[in-house]
């Protein structure tokens, strides 16, 4: 069974640009959660999607958005990038939600210059 | 707001030692607690998930306990090996809001 995949693995952008990251969950998993990991703030929850609907949202500005498709694949978008958005972005999938074991992808490392 | 703390921040032990990692949380109204390991630059690997109704979970050399009333969980690693070197994170799920500790960086020396 294939694991969670994230693309791209590495990305370099400049301030003011926008970026889209992609996450393909484990087959059959309908919940996808996104996290931001930085050395200073650690791992922080961004949002969770289930059946194409955003079910939970963390404390991030509106520049961070996401969506989920009918095949459970998810994308997150960050607009008007800031230097502080440089981070490892992780997605995790589970069958129905974070109340179960979550399986993480390898992450997308974003560097904003 | 749930806050999760992990102590110590770093730990170095010789191979073969048994060790305990600690995780504490401020709000006992949790759904579950999950322990992960993270290797440098990589994603997280789930180790153990303890539901709020459970007291402990075991997998191989790993044993995790949960005491909701005191807001504590421990991860016990038996007979540590160099391959256990990684950062260990605990995550507390309260009302589908996952909060992570800062992690304990473990080094097991051969």
């Amino acid at each position: 069974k294939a694991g969670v995949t994230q693309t791209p693995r590495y990305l370099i952008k400049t301030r003011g640009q926008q970026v889209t990251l992609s996450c393909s969950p484990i087959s059959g998993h309908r919940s996808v959660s996104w996290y931001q990991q930085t050395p200073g703030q650690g791992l922080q929850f961004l949002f969770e999607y289930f059946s194409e609907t955003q079910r939970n949202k963390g404390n991030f500005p509106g520049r961070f958005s996401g969506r989920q498709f009918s095949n459970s694949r998810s994308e997150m978008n960050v607009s008007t990038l800031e230097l502080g958005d440089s981070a490892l972005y992780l997605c995790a999938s589970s069958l129905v939600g974070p109340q179960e074991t979550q399986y993480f992808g390898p992450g997308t490392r974003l560097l904003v210059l | 707001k749930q806050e999760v703390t992990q102590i110590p921040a770093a730990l170095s032990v010789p191979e073969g030692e048994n060790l305990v990692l600690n995780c504490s949380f401020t709000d006992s109204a949790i759904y579950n607690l999950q322990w992960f390991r993270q290797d440098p630059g990589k994603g997280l690997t789930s180790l153990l998930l303890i539901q709020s109704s459970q007291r402990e979970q075991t997998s191989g050399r790993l044993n995790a306990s949960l005491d909701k009333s005191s807001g504590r969980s421990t991860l016990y690693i038996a007979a540590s090996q160099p391959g256990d070197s990684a950062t260990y994170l605990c995550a507390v799920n309260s009302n589908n809001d996952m909060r992570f500790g800062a992690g304990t960086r473990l080094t097991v020396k051969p």
Side-chain angles (χ1 to χ4, degrees), chain A residues 19-93:
Chain A
V19 67
T20 299
L21 311 181
S22 180
C23 172
S24 293
I26 291 172
S27 177
H29 286 192
R30 295 168 63 191
S31 169
V32 174
S33 298
W34 287 90
Y35 299 87
Q36 181 197 64
Q37 187 175 32
T38 60
Q41 299 297 318
L43 257 164
Q44 296 185 88
F45 171 71
L46 280 156
F47 29 65
E48 185 234 349
Y49 284 86
F50 179 80
S51 291
E52 302 178 64
T53 301
Q54 186 182 88
R55 194 161 58 173
N56 290 293
K57 189 177 190 303
N59 190 26
F60 277 80
R63 300 185 297 108
F64 292 81
S65 63
R67 59 178 174 167
Q68 186 179 35
F69 302 95
S70 58
N71 62 358
S72 295
R73 188 178 70 86
S74 177
E75 290 181 346
M76 69 162 281
N77 184 275
V78 188
S79 62
T80 319
L81 284 165
E82 301 176 359
L83 295 179
D85 297 333
S86 295
L88 180 66
Y89 290 88
L90 295 162
C91 83
S93 76

Side-chain angles (χ1 to χ4, degrees), chain B residues 9 13 19 41 44 49 52 54 58 95 98 106-107:
Chain B
V13 300
L19 59 101
L44 278 64
L49 171 70
S52 62
Q54 297 175 320
T58 298
N95 196 27
M98 291 278 287
L106 173 66
T107 303

